[in-house]
Amino acid sequence: MKKSYIYILIVILIIALVIINQKKDSKFFIANGVRYSTSLDGNSIDSFPSKGDYEVEVNCINAKGSWNYKDWTVDVYDIIGKVSCTISFTSKTSSSISNYIKSLARTTQGTGQIVNEKGYRYEGKNPNNYIYFNNELWRIIGVFDSSSHGKTGEYLTKIIRNDSLGGYAWDKSGKNNWATSSLYNLLNTNYYNATDGTSGGNCYHYSTTITSNCDYIETGLQSEYRNMVENVTWYLGGKDSASYTAEAFYTGERDSTSVSNGNMSSIAGYIGLMYVSDYGYSVLSSSCARTIKLGGYGSSTCGGSSWLKKESTEWTVTFDSSIGAFGIFNNSSLDSYIVVSGYATRPVLYLKSNVQVYAGDGSISKPYQIKLAS
């Protein structure tokens, strides 16, 4: 009986020591009325570590919290009472974003997959391909070799802005030559350099008759992100109608003999738009057979199952062989439109090969965080 009491006392003593040590090791600080408990690689710390390669998890009581990687601070919102937050910093080893995405080939990402199909592409309804770029959300189209961008021996990551800049004319003068178009010039001058393009001669929302604000000082590419963008070759071949498959468009876009009207077959630039083939391959083949022509993508199983499809009619960089350019209609099908029309415009660009990913999982709540290799 005495031995039982002794064992119980020993257990109680051990528990007490553990609790005392936990309290001793537990560190926290209070800022703006919020109690923060922080840890670095599992060890308690009493302040945020200096900005670095960390995955950051924020969990709050009586509020929502998220980590702002750009400003390196915590955002606390939707407060409903006395708030306390636990913030965990985990050291990460950064790696090439192109190599990282390639390593995910054939894996499920969100409600989509990464498929090696004319490039390592995100396909499906809503894959985890969100990336934080230019202080806003973009999405990753995929990783591509030189046949898509002209940089020999390099795999580059192609991304698209999540939201449209607005409705712009593809070309104010009605010519379907991307190399001389007003939209190419707007994107590669004022938008790329984060300047005011309203009076620059390139800001047109319909032909030359409708103009409005194209001031990109705040929304254009900021200098820290501009340095991540590669100057690449945009191939400008096309087709004569939407009655072709994704593969036929992919081949035609890179075929200099498919260019007509005296148009250039390629142009160097930092900013473009998605290709028609990008849209065609953005839906899984298990949902939409690759034999289906893109003019017939207006169904829930094809365009309706593509993460690239947005709510409004949107331009692509691909021209048709007459006088128009291809756009994705709001019913998800592909069609050709006169280039003076003002349709949704989402910039597309390629990241340099030395851009690295160091945090995030590609979900909308935890987009990939990137940096240039030092």
Side-chain angles (χ1 to χ4, degrees):
M1 193 69 176
K2 287 183 178 181
K3 288 185 178 180
S4 298
Y5 281 122
I6 291 172
Y7 290 142
I8 292 172
L9 287 172
I10 291 173
V11 170
I12 292 173
L13 180 61
I14 291 172
I15 292 173
L17 288 172
V18 169
I19 292 172
I20 290 170
N21 285 330
Q22 285 180 338
K23 287 184 177 180
K24 184 178 179 181
D25 292 339
S26 179
K27 298 177 181 179
F28 67 91
F29 63 94
I30 297 175
N32 299 320
V34 179
R35 185 182 190 275
Y36 295 103
S37 298
T38 56
S39 65
L40 172 59
D41 295 331
N43 299 312
S44 181
I45 54 177
D46 55 11
S47 63
F48 299 152
S50 299
K51 192 172 186 178
D53 293 354
Y54 300 109
E55 185 84 61
V56 187
E57 291 281 352
V58 179
N59 293 290
C60 295
I61 297 174
N62 293 329
K64 294 179 181 178
S66 61
W67 188 253
N68 186 322
Y69 283 87
K70 178 180 181 292
D71 298 329
W72 204 246
T73 187
V74 63
D75 295 328
V76 179
Y77 50 97
D78 292 350
I79 297 172
I80 59 174
K82 189 174 182 180
V83 179
S84 62
C85 296
T86 300
I87 306 178
S88 303
F89 296 85
T90 304
S91 298
K92 293 291 183 180
T93 301
S94 57
S95 60
S96 162
I97 187 168
S98 296
N99 289 340
Y100 178 75
I101 292 170
K102 287 170 61 181
S103 73
L104 297 177
R106 298 179 299 278
T107 66
T108 297
Q109 300 291 311
T111 59
Q113 297 176 18
I114 294 179
V115 181
N116 186 0
E117 190 172 24
K118 308 296 185 183
Y120 294 83
R121 299 177 181 273
Y122 282 91
E123 300 178 0
K125 181 65 175 178
N126 189 27
N128 288 344
N129 62 342
Y130 289 92
I131 184 170
Y132 191 75
F133 178 82
N134 201 42
N135 305 323
E136 59 196 7
L137 282 178
W138 288 54
R139 301 190 77 170
I140 302 168
I141 294 176
V143 175
F144 302 90
D145 63 16
S146 61
S147 62
S148 289
H149 52 68
K151 293 290 180 180
T152 302
E154 294 190 22
Y155 280 92
L156 300 180
T157 302
K158 181 160 61 169
I159 65 176
I160 184 170
R161 194 174 190 262
N162 188 50
D163 297 315
S164 169
L165 290 176
Y168 295 101
W170 204 88
D171 183 63
K172 64 178 182 178
S173 61
K175 297 180 180 179
N176 64 349
N177 184 359
W178 177 253
T180 61
S181 68
S182 54
L183 187 51
Y184 166 83
N185 283 291
L186 179 67
L187 293 175
N188 285 275
T189 55
N190 304 114
Y191 177 76
Y192 174 76
N193 291 299
T195 58
D196 185 350
T198 302
S199 58
N202 298 315
C203 179
Y204 297 93
H205 295 263
Y206 180 82
S207 185
T208 59
T209 60
I210 299 178
T211 61
S212 62
N213 186 30
C214 286
D215 184 351
Y216 297 125
I217 293 175
E218 297 294 334
T219 58
L221 293 191
Q222 305 303 302
S223 58
E224 64 183 291
Y225 293 98
R226 196 179 308 141
N227 294 331
M228 298 182 183
V229 182
E230 187 66 89
N231 188 10
V232 300
T233 299
W234 297 85
Y235 297 104
L236 305 178
K239 286 292 184 182
D240 58 2
S241 75
S243 298
Y244 293 91
T245 63
E247 183 176 6
F249 267 105
Y250 178 87
T251 301
E253 289 157 355
R254 290 150 184 79
D255 180 7
S256 60
T257 65
S258 69
V259 176
S260 60
N261 304 329
N263 290 357
M264 294 176 63
S265 60
S266 66
I267 184 69
Y270 293 97
I271 313 293
L273 304 172
M274 75 169 94
Y275 285 106
V276 165
S277 60
D278 289 330
Y279 178 55
Y281 286 123
S282 65
V283 56
L284 288 164
S285 61
S286 57
S287 298
C288 180
R290 293 293 182 251
T291 55
I292 295 177
K293 299 174 176 61
L294 271 68
Y297 260 42
S299 66
S300 60
T301 56
C302 287
S305 296
S306 162
W307 68 268
L308 260 178
K309 177 67 186 78
K310 300 293 267 189
E311 291 76 18
S312 57
T313 300
E314 178 177 354
W315 283 123
T316 74
V317 75
T318 308
F319 88 109
D320 74 19
S321 59
S322 56
I323 60 172
F326 288 105
I328 303 167
F329 193 49
N330 57 16
N331 74 350
S332 302
S333 63
L334 183 77
D335 208 343
S336 177
Y337 302 92
I338 57 173
V339 293
V340 296
S341 302
Y343 292 131
T345 298
R346 285 196 288 164
V348 172
L349 56 86
Y350 289 87
L351 298 173
K352 290 180 177 178
S353 57
N354 62 341
V355 171
Q356 297 182 324
V357 58
Y358 66 90
D361 61 11
S363 63
I364 192 170
S365 60
K366 295 173 63 178
Y368 288 122
Q369 304 291 327
I370 58 175
K371 66 172 187 175
L372 275 174
S374 56

